[in-house]
Amino acid sequence: MVLFLWIFVLSLTGFVAKSNGSEVIGVSEGSDVILPCSIKESVVQQLFDWRKDGEKMKEVFMYNAGLHYNNGLRDQDDQFRGRVSHFPDQMKFGNASIRINNTKITDSGDYTCDFPHINGGMTFNISLFVDPVFKDRSGEISGSVPKPSVTIFDVTDSGVQLKCEVQGAFPKPELRWKDSDGNILDAEEAEISERDGRYHITLQTTVTSTTTTSFQCVVQQKDLNHETASTITVSEKLFVSSCSKVTTEGVLIGIGLGVLPTAFAALLLAFKFIRISWIRGTKKNKEDEPEPMKSLRSDNSNI
């Protein structure tokens, strides 16, 4: 019976593995998955509680001596309501496993199966990974992240700006720009947003005239050992236009810097000439003025 259960689990999930003593289960988005939990005695009259770890614990499924979330118990989290069931005919063999239907990205995470009243408390840990499956135009599965979209965003004085976008990736990937020689290029800080458990990421870089006009945006998910990329070729004319613009502006600035000192020197010389002319004119006017008449008082003093 246990062998049958594990074969059934493998057929539903895609893979089952061990990590640090915990079960790790992977399943494609939209399929069903069984989270295994069992002990060596009947659980028909026992209490077991399934919860999902996160910012706060979420109630997934609780069974208490015949009562459970599907027949009267309350407080099940809205995320799992109507999608979780157990195996009543297997409970006498100690099977407390649950089945989650129509898995979603947000179902990914760490789960605990807890028996609080057995042997002072027993807890089993299971990690679930729900993998979104993307398909290319031919309908073939292309991995856990769609191929990135690469475009020319703008042409500026600094060079040609390239933009790489990834929509709806999970888990969160890393993006980087490379040239055709495999060199990693400097890029701006990535813009990252998250919605419904999926990541939307944009990464921009500015390229200048180099030995290559081919550039590649690489998207990597290290946890899955998965990588995909898209390549864009930049016309040499864009580099020429950018460089020409910079060169023209540089020439104008250079001319301005060369003309300004000459103009300033000429202005000083003109000012000096005007000042000398003014001084000479003032002196000449003084020389042409008639001498003042001696006072009568001075003349009478000699009589």
Side-chain angles (χ1 to χ4, degrees), residues 99-165:
R99 175 173 179 156
I100 302 177
N101 297 325
N102 189 24
T103 53
K104 304 176 181 179
I105 296 296
T106 50
D107 293 336
S108 297
D110 297 324
Y111 291 76
T112 56
C113 173
D114 186 32
F115 296 92
H117 303 319
I118 297 180
N119 297 331
M122 296 175 62
T123 301
F124 298 85
N125 300 302
I126 296 95
S127 294
L128 175 63
F129 172 71
V130 181
D131 182 15
V133 178
F134 299 95
K135 295 184 178 181
D136 57 25
R137 293 179 180 178
S138 65
E140 296 294 326
I141 294 176
S142 60
S144 299
V145 62
K147 290 180 73 66
S149 169
V150 290
T151 56
I152 295 176
F153 181 68
D154 196 7
V155 179
T156 68
D157 299 347
S158 301
V160 180
Q161 292 182 346
L162 305 180
K163 180 167 68 174
C164 176
E165 292 182 284

Side-chain angles (χ1 to χ4, degrees), residues 51-299:
R51 291 183 293 178
K52 181 179 183 293
D53 194 12
E55 294 183 0
K56 78 173 189 176
M57 298 294 287
K58 293 183 177 181
E59 282 291 337
V60 179
F61 186 82
M62 179 183 287
Y63 174 93
N64 188 7
L67 291 176
H68 50 83
Y69 282 145
N70 293 334
N71 73 354
L73 286 184
R74 299 182 178 180
D75 297 329
Q76 185 180 28
D77 192 273
D78 291 340
Q79 177 181 338
F80 299 99
R81 188 166 294 140
R83 295 197 299 125
V84 183
S85 59
H86 66 306
F87 299 90
D89 58 337
Q90 296 293 318
M91 295 180 66
K92 59 186 177 182
F93 302 110
N95 187 357
S97 303
I98 59 173
R99 175 173 179 156
I100 302 177
N101 297 325
N102 189 24
T103 53
K104 304 176 181 179
I105 296 296
T106 50
D107 293 336
S108 297
D110 297 324
Y111 291 76
T112 56
C113 173
D114 186 32
F115 296 92
H117 303 319
I118 297 180
N119 297 331
M122 296 175 62
T123 301
F124 298 85
N125 300 302
I126 296 95
S127 294
L128 175 63
F129 172 71
V130 181
D131 182 15
V133 178
F134 299 95
K135 295 184 178 181
D136 57 25
R137 293 179 180 178
S138 65
E140 296 294 326
I141 294 176
S142 60
S144 299
V145 62
K147 290 180 73 66
S149 169
V150 290
T151 56
I152 295 176
F153 181 68
D154 196 7
V155 179
T156 68
D157 299 347
S158 301
V160 180
Q161 292 182 346
L162 305 180
K163 180 167 68 174
C164 176
E165 292 182 284
V166 171
Q167 301 289 330
F170 181 86
K172 184 170 69 173
E174 293 181 3
L175 277 64
R176 60 183 180 275
W177 278 99
K178 290 183 175 181
D179 61 19
S180 60
D181 296 324
N183 301 312
I184 298 177
L185 305 177
D186 292 334
E188 299 177 9
E189 185 176 353
E191 298 178 7
I192 303 174
S193 62
E194 186 267 337
R195 186 167 60 252
D196 297 329
R198 303 190 185 193
Y199 292 90
H200 306 264
I201 305 176
T202 299
L203 182 67
Q204 293 187 24
T205 186
T206 300
V207 295
T208 56
S209 181
T210 62
T211 57
T212 180
T213 57
S214 180
F215 304 92
Q216 187 178 61
C217 179
V218 180
V219 182
Q220 184 180 41
Q221 292 170 307
K222 294 182 179 179
D223 294 341
L224 305 180
N225 194 28
H226 177 72
E227 183 175 291
T228 185
S230 293
T231 302
I232 187 171
T233 300
V234 180
S235 172
E236 292 183 359
K237 294 181 179 179
L238 294 180
F239 291 126
V240 172
S241 299
S242 176
C243 292
S244 298
K245 185 176 180 181
V246 173
T247 303
T248 302
E249 291 182 354
V251 169
L252 292 176
I253 293 174
I255 292 174
L257 292 176
V259 169
L260 284 176
T262 304
F264 184 70
L267 183 63
L268 287 178
L269 184 61
F271 178 77
K272 184 175 181 181
F273 176 77
I274 293 172
R275 185 171 180 276
I276 293 174
S277 299
W278 179 80
I279 292 174
R280 288 177 177 177
T282 302
K283 185 175 181 181
K284 184 177 180 181
N285 291 336
K286 287 184 177 181
E287 290 176 351
D288 293 339
E289 290 180 0
E291 292 185 5
M293 294 180 63
K294 294 182 180 180
S295 62
L296 294 176
R297 185 177 178 180
S298 298
D299 294 338

